[in-house]
Amino acid sequence: MANSKLYKGSLVTIILKLLNESDKMYGYEITQKVKALTKGELKITEGALYPALHKLEAEGLLEVEVKKVDNRLRKYYRLTEKGSKETVTKLQELQEYIMTMQVIVNPKLSLE
Amino acid sequence: MANSKLYKGSLVTIILKLLNESDKMYGYEITQKVKALTKGELKITEGALYPALHKLEAEGLLEVEVKKVDNRLRKYYRLTEKGSKETVTKLQELQEYIMTMQVIVNPKLSLE
DNA sequence: TTATATGCATAAGAATATTATGTATATTTG
DNA sequence: CAAATATACATAATATTCTTATGCATATAA
C-alpha cells in the first residue's frame, strides 16, 4: 500500500468496506476509488491488491463475475453473505484499534 | 502483538509514545504498561518488542542504560533527540492514518 | 516444590506488503 | 503517427513485521 507502515493489515478492511458500499467493483476501480477518496494519500499497489482479492474469493468472502468492456477484461467482485458478516467484524476491529491507539497516544483517555 | 491484524506496524509508534511520556522504561515494563492501558486488549509479545527496541537503538532513536535491580538486569531505554523528533512524526502519521481510514469507512466524510 | 512473575534474548515460520516484471488493449499527446 | 500514458489483469522475488516457540536466570506465590 503506501508510505506509513500503519496501513499494513488494513487492506482487507478497505476492500470489504468499499464493496459493501458499491455493490460490485473490479480491481483497478478499487485502486482509483481509494486514490480519489484519500486525495492521493493512499495508493493501493496491484501486487498487494490482486493476491488479496484472490484470497478473499478463495475464503468465500467474495464472488467474481468476469465481463468484457471495451475489449478489455474486468473481474467484478461482490460480497457474499459470509463477506458481509466479515465486513461488520472488520469494521468493529478498526474502531477498536482506533480507540486502543487513542488511549495509548492520549494519556488523558482511558478505556472502560 | 495481538488479535486484529491492524496492529501490524503500530509497535514503533507505541514504544516511542510511551517513552515520550515516561522518560525511561525497560522492556518488560512496556509490555505491562500497554496491557494495563488497554485493559488487556493489546498484548505486546517479547518476540516483537525486544528486536524492535534493538533496532530503534541501532538507528539512534533510543539509548540504553543497564541497571541491576533485585539481582535482575533491566535495560532502561530513553529517547534520544533524534528519537523525540521521530516520535512527533510517528504520531502525525498515526493521526493521518486514522483520518484516512475514517474517510474510507465513513462515506459522509471527506478530506480537504 | 512447583508454578507464576520478572527480565532478557533469539530462531523459525507466517502474514502482509513493496518492487519489479509481464501481457494486452485503448487513448492521449507531442 | 509514434510514443507515452491509462486501463486491466497477474505473479515472482524480496522486505518487513509479527507470532510462536524456545532458552536462560532469579524471585515470589501457591
Side-chain angles (χ1 to χ4, degrees):
Chain A
M1 302 175 71
N3 27 41
S4 166
K5 292 165 187 172
L6 296 168
Y7 291 100
K8 226 179 235 293
S10 309
L11 181 55
V12 167
T13 305
I14 292 171
I15 292 172
L16 293 180
K17 176 58 182 175
L18 290 182
L19 288 176
N20 195 60
E21 283 165 34
S22 303
D23 183 46
K24 71 178 181 192
M25 296 181 83
Y26 55 100
Y28 185 75
E29 187 183 11
I30 291 175
T31 67
Q32 299 309 300
K33 178 77 173 178
V34 170
K35 206 200 287 184
L37 279 174
T38 67
K39 314 279 182 190
E41 243 277 304
L42 183 54
K43 283 165 192 159
I44 292 180
T45 61
E46 296 158 299
L49 178 64
Y50 291 116
L53 289 172
H54 300 161
K55 193 183 173 208
L56 290 171
E57 186 195 352
E59 291 169 348
L61 303 182
L62 303 184
E63 57 187 14
V64 192
E65 179 192 354
V66 179
K67 279 196 178 179
K68 202 160 197 171
V69 181
D70 292 332
N71 208 33
R72 273 196 300 257
L73 273 190
R74 283 184 188 171
K75 293 180 78 172
Y76 280 95
Y77 291 90
R78 75 176 69 238
L79 292 177
T80 61
E81 190 162 345
K82 191 176 170 190
S84 293
K85 286 178 189 166
E86 185 62 15
T87 304
V88 175
T89 301
K90 289 292 182 198
L91 291 178
Q92 284 172 347
E93 285 183 0
L94 177 60
Q95 290 310 319
E96 271 177 41
Y97 167 79
I98 291 174
M99 280 195 296
T100 297
M101 289 302 287
Q102 296 284 11
V103 167
I104 292 171
V105 151
N106 190 335
K108 292 177 184 172
L109 295 176
S110 75
L111 287 174
E112 282 309 307
Chain B
M1 301 171 70
N3 29 43
S4 166
K5 292 165 187 172
L6 296 168
Y7 292 100
K8 225 181 237 294
S10 309
L11 181 55
V12 168
T13 304
I14 292 171
I15 292 171
L16 294 181
K17 176 57 183 175
L18 290 182
L19 287 176
N20 195 61
E21 285 166 33
S22 302
D23 183 47
K24 71 178 180 191
M25 295 180 84
Y26 56 100
Y28 185 77
E29 186 182 10
I30 292 175
T31 67
Q32 299 308 302
K33 179 77 172 176
V34 170
K35 205 198 289 184
L37 279 174
T38 67
K39 313 280 183 189
E41 244 276 304
L42 182 54
K43 283 166 192 158
I44 293 180
T45 61
E46 296 158 298
L49 179 63
Y50 291 117
L53 289 172
H54 301 161
K55 193 181 173 213
L56 290 171
E57 185 195 351
E59 291 168 350
L61 302 183
L62 303 184
E63 57 188 13
V64 193
E65 179 193 352
V66 180
K67 279 196 180 179
K68 201 159 198 172
V69 181
D70 291 332
N71 207 31
R72 274 196 301 256
L73 274 190
R74 283 185 189 170
K75 292 179 80 173
Y76 279 96
Y77 291 90
R78 73 177 70 237
L79 292 177
T80 61
E81 190 162 348
K82 190 177 172 190
S84 293
K85 286 177 187 164
E86 185 63 13
T87 303
V88 175
T89 302
K90 289 292 181 197
L91 291 177
Q92 284 172 347
E93 285 183 1
L94 177 61
Q95 290 309 317
E96 271 178 40
Y97 166 80
I98 291 175
M99 281 196 296
T100 298
M101 289 303 287
Q102 296 283 13
V103 166
I104 292 172
V105 152
N106 191 336
K108 293 177 182 170
L109 296 175
S110 76
L111 288 174
E112 283 310 309

